[in-house]
Amino acid sequence: MGKKILTILLMVAMVLAFTACGKKRSVSGMQLENAQFELNDYCATFPTCMGVGDKYICDVTKDGNPDLCTDVTFGSGMMRTAVVVYDVANEEFYVLDGYSTSYYIDRVENEKLYVIEGEKYDIEIEDSKVQPIPAGTTVTGVVKFKKGELYFVPNK
């Protein structure tokens, strides 16, 4: 009788293990709150980090879970701003950055992350917060995710 129960328990454990592997991960509100700290810590690793922007929630990776998005201004001499997307469900960070191009989050609308692309940015410091201000030629577009990378797609 003991071997029979043990066999049944092992079979149930195997079935649960195999079905759990294919389950889609979901993100809770508490995970999103904690993810803000992880996102800030990640952005602090950028060389000469000047500041981290506001946080936005948008499913950029299109996996059915909310991603946490921000922009980070960094650099010394040649400062620029990059967009950082944190895929909370998979604990992955993605960066939209250009050596001579800055990307600044404008808004989230209709499940799309809108950004402003510009050749250079002026920096404004207000209430001890660094705020990039587009200067010169700018283009508005959306951030797309494909094959593990972020892309800027300009509006037509």
Side-chain angles (χ1 to χ4, degrees):
M1 179 92 161
K3 286 183 182 181
K4 197 175 203 177
I5 291 175
L6 184 58
T7 303
I8 291 171
L9 286 174
L10 284 174
M11 289 182 66
V12 168
M14 285 177 46
V15 168
L16 288 174
F18 286 121
T19 58
C21 290
K23 278 193 174 182
K24 187 171 148 182
R25 296 180 183 176
S26 61
V27 176
S28 69
M30 183 62 113
Q31 285 174 303
L32 275 175
E33 284 186 37
N34 291 334
Q36 293 183 55
F37 298 108
E38 294 169 35
L39 183 57
N40 285 340
D41 289 345
Y42 178 80
C43 290
T45 66
F46 282 70
T48 320
C49 178
M50 298 293 290
V52 179
D54 294 331
K55 307 297 186 295
Y56 297 84
I57 297 173
C58 181
D59 184 11
V60 176
T61 59
K62 301 298 181 204
D63 64 357
N65 286 302
D67 301 317
L68 196 56
C69 311
T70 193
D71 43 46
V72 58
T73 302
F74 64 99
S76 175
M78 187 174 164
M79 294 191 306
R80 65 184 185 266
T81 303
V83 170
V84 180
V85 174
Y86 181 29
D87 180 353
V88 180
N90 295 303
E91 298 178 347
E92 292 284 337
F93 292 94
Y94 302 99
V95 180
L96 176 63
D97 181 27
Y99 180 71
S100 61
T101 305
S102 285
Y103 297 96
Y104 175 71
I105 297 177
D106 184 35
R107 68 190 185 280
V108 172
E109 187 177 293
N110 298 326
E111 292 299 314
K112 293 179 183 174
L113 183 66
Y114 285 86
V115 299
I116 300 170
E117 176 190 64
E119 292 178 10
K120 69 175 192 170
Y121 278 67
D122 289 333
I123 304 297
E124 177 182 286
I125 299 176
E126 184 178 306
D127 298 326
S128 300
K129 184 177 179 184
V130 175
Q131 184 71 27
I133 306 296
T137 306
T138 60
V139 177
T140 303
V142 295
V143 174
K144 297 282 186 172
F145 182 77
K146 187 175 181 182
K147 295 183 181 178
E149 291 187 34
L150 298 178
Y151 295 93
F152 175 75
V153 178
N155 291 341
K156 295 178 183 181

